[in-house]
Amino acid sequence: MVPTTTDAPRPALGRPLLDRLRAARGAGGGSLVLLAALAGTAALNYGLGLALAWLLPTEQFGAVGILLNLLLLATSVLAAGFPWALAREVARADDAAATAPVLRVALIGNVALGLVLGAGFAGVQLTTGAILPGVGPVPTLLAAATIVVLALVAVLVGALQGARRFDGVGAARVAEIVVKVVLALVVVGLLGSVVDGVVGVAAALLVAACVSAVVAFLALADRLPRGARRTGRPTSGMGAFAAAVPMAVSTTAFGLMGTLDVLALGALGRGAGVTLAVVGVYQAGAVLARAPFFVGSALSDAVFPFIAGAPTLAAAHARLVSALRWVPLVLVPCQLVLLVTPGPVLDVVLPGAYTDAAGVVRVLTLGTTGLLLADMLLKALFARGMATAVAARVPVAVALQVAALVVLVPRVGALGAAWSFAVGTWSTVALLGALYLARFRPPAPARGPVVRWTGAVAVLAGALAVAGTLPTPAALAVVVGALGAYVVLALSLGLVPAEVTALLRRIPTEVTR
């Protein structure tokens, strides 16, 4: 708006913060912002999971684990169709008026979907108690309300991502986890004698979702549709819905893949002696094993609008590789610690009741590598308008996972659930990888870096295997030393690309820009 001579000066209080939340960033700065937000939220989120494992009885922790996975599944469904279709449309057309119809449809449609999901969950749980055994009506209603709020958050964050307002995305996520951690620890840790732990966690989740919605709203308020007037290039709301349907199918199936193992473990594992305590141990193992997935997801979120806006498939592939290369360089070496020698880590971060999770953690770590690769492939294919082809493949992988759950969980319990998770994730990598190769036709990677990286990882794996034979204090020292040696090897062998090194040198400038 152009100020007039009658405009009175307004105080600048809060404007720098709003300007920061609404500023668009490049791929490098956006990745740094999302990774910085992830570093904080991951530490707090996983710290909360570990703290709850210490503070709650294993049965209550198992119930909380089921609740968290239910909300994660609901988030996956709600972030599936409309938000991704909206992010793609906003990324391709920065004009707020042009994308207003899509944003309007996404808001109405996703909140309506959230109401349906919340009401459906509450109806089933209140009448049968089958989803959360032994959990009363209060946490059920709190969780149902949280689902509705998450529907709103998903659309707002999708629009922010498409507009490259990564500061707003990061602020919404950080605000949510900070509020959730503080409230959950206050209620469970300080008021645990008078407040049920499951009720306290459910209340913290609802309040945190509301705070996230407020922050995302402030970051996007200037682009929200106002009135019915449309200017510029109109975008069909029905067109947005049509684009959202295959995305919804794919992302919902992908969300199922990451939660079915926990949800099915209690339902299918009774014959194998699975109780809520066993589910709690499994959930604690999943907290550790799946941490790298959220790092990879943040990378693919940051690069999504740039893949969507790339002029050619070759350019889009180059932008995906810029994010994907962090997986072997950073994430795989970290995952090797849990794959080769999880015992010392479990001894340090979890109570003694969770020591049996070592075998499960190994298999879940293997499945998590597949999950983060599948996530990157899925988002790249979404960004280039291939959602229909993706929707024909991801449900196949979920069907394979369900079949594995039905066969394995009744026989081997928690370990069967972990292997079923790995079956689902790597089946998705195979199916989407074949589609990606057929559509993008990327060049083969250079052999030299692959051979050098394999050698560096082999040295790391050998040192970690030695650590697994040592007592916990010595093992941890060897693990830290082995990771340090890997970093030295990666740098000396030229595994870190020059542009990545330059990016790291620009971190202070990018973050403060």
Side-chain angles (χ1 to χ4, degrees):
M1 182 182 72
V2 179
T4 65
T5 55
T6 59
D7 287 335
R10 288 185 288 183
L13 181 62
R15 293 304 307 177
L17 177 59
L18 283 178
D19 292 342
R20 179 80 175 256
L21 293 178
R22 296 173 181 176
R25 285 185 177 268
S31 297
L32 290 173
V33 167
L34 291 183
L35 285 173
L38 177 72
T41 57
L44 290 171
N45 200 35
Y46 285 90
L48 174 63
L50 298 177
L52 293 177
W54 284 90
L55 294 172
L56 294 173
T58 52
E59 291 81 4
Q60 282 197 5
F61 186 69
V64 167
I66 294 174
L67 176 62
L68 291 173
N69 276 274
L70 281 169
L71 291 178
L72 178 60
L73 176 58
T75 301
S76 299
V77 174
L78 295 168
F82 287 114
W84 280 113
L86 176 63
R88 183 170 182 265
E89 193 64 32
V90 172
R92 297 174 67 185
D94 289 332
D95 182 11
T99 56
V102 177
L103 182 52
R104 186 181 293 109
V105 169
L107 285 169
I108 296 172
N110 224 47
V111 171
L113 178 59
L115 288 168
V116 171
L117 291 177
F121 161 71
V124 172
Q125 176 62 23
L126 292 175
T127 55
T128 68
I131 302 176
L132 292 167
V135 173
V138 174
T140 298
L141 295 175
L142 290 172
T146 303
I147 291 173
V148 178
V149 178
L150 290 174
L152 174 62
V153 173
V155 174
L156 296 176
V157 169
L160 288 171
Q161 182 182 342
R164 303 176 180 89
R165 296 185 178 186
F166 297 116
D167 288 49
V169 175
R173 291 175 177 171
V174 169
E176 179 182 11
I177 186 59
V178 169
V179 172
K180 178 172 68 175
V181 168
V182 171
L183 289 182
L185 291 182
V186 167
V187 174
V188 175
L190 300 181
L191 305 176
S193 59
V194 295
V195 178
D196 178 78
V198 180
V199 173
V201 172
L205 292 170
L206 175 58
V207 175
C210 291
V211 171
S212 180
V214 170
V215 174
F217 174 84
L218 291 174
L220 193 68
D222 61 319
R223 293 197 63 153
L224 291 174
R226 293 176 174 84
R229 184 180 177 182
R230 302 180 184 182
T231 59
R233 182 180 63 85
T235 303
S236 170
M238 290 304 296
F241 178 75
V245 170
M247 288 186 176
V249 171
S250 302
T251 314
T252 299
F254 196 78
L256 282 169
M257 190 179 304
T259 55
L260 273 178
D261 54 337
V262 177
L263 299 178
L265 180 58
L268 299 176
R270 294 173 186 173
V274 173
T275 63
L276 273 180
V278 174
V279 175
V281 172
Y282 187 92
Q283 173 67 14
V287 165
L288 292 175
R290 292 176 180 169
F293 167 73
F294 299 100
V295 179
S297 184
L299 288 170
S300 55
D301 282 349
V303 80
F304 176 88
F306 301 96
I307 296 175
T312 64
L313 287 177
H317 172 72
R319 293 174 184 182
L320 175 64
V321 170
S322 70
L324 191 62
R325 64 190 170 193
W326 290 90
V327 174
L329 279 174
V330 178
L331 300 185
V332 169
C334 293
Q335 287 182 293
L336 276 177
V337 176
L338 293 178
L339 185 64
V340 178
T341 178
V345 179
L346 291 172
D347 289 341
V348 171
V349 300
L350 289 173
Y354 296 91
T355 54
D356 292 338
V360 167
V361 166
R362 283 192 173 97
V363 182
L364 287 173
T365 298
L366 181 65
T368 298
T369 304
L371 188 67
L372 66 91
L373 290 174
D375 177 70
M376 289 188 168
L377 290 169
L378 180 141
K379 290 173 182 174
L381 292 165
F382 274 1
R384 300 306 296 186
M386 303 175 191
T388 301
V390 174
R393 289 163 172 79
V394 178
V396 175
V398 175
L400 293 173
Q401 181 182 6
V402 171
L405 285 167
V406 171
V407 171
L408 296 177
V409 171
R411 290 168 173 78
V412 291
L415 197 58
W419 277 114
S420 301
F421 169 66
V423 167
T425 60
W426 282 103
S427 296
T428 309
V429 172
L431 292 167
L432 296 187
L435 175 64
Y436 186 90
L437 291 174
R439 298 290 180 89
F440 282 73
R441 298 187 180 277
R447 292 183 181 179
V450 173
V451 172
R452 293 195 297 272
W453 174 81
T454 302
V457 169
V459 172
L460 173 62
L464 294 176
V466 172
T469 66
L470 301 174
T472 296
L476 290 175
V478 172
V479 167
V480 173
L483 290 173
Y486 167 79
V487 172
V488 173
L489 276 174
L491 291 171
S492 62
L493 294 174
L495 295 175
V496 180
E499 59 268 29
V500 175
T501 304
L503 176 63
L504 293 175
R505 291 172 179 170
R506 293 202 307 269
I507 286 178
T509 302
E510 292 283 0
V511 172
T512 57
R513 182 177 297 176

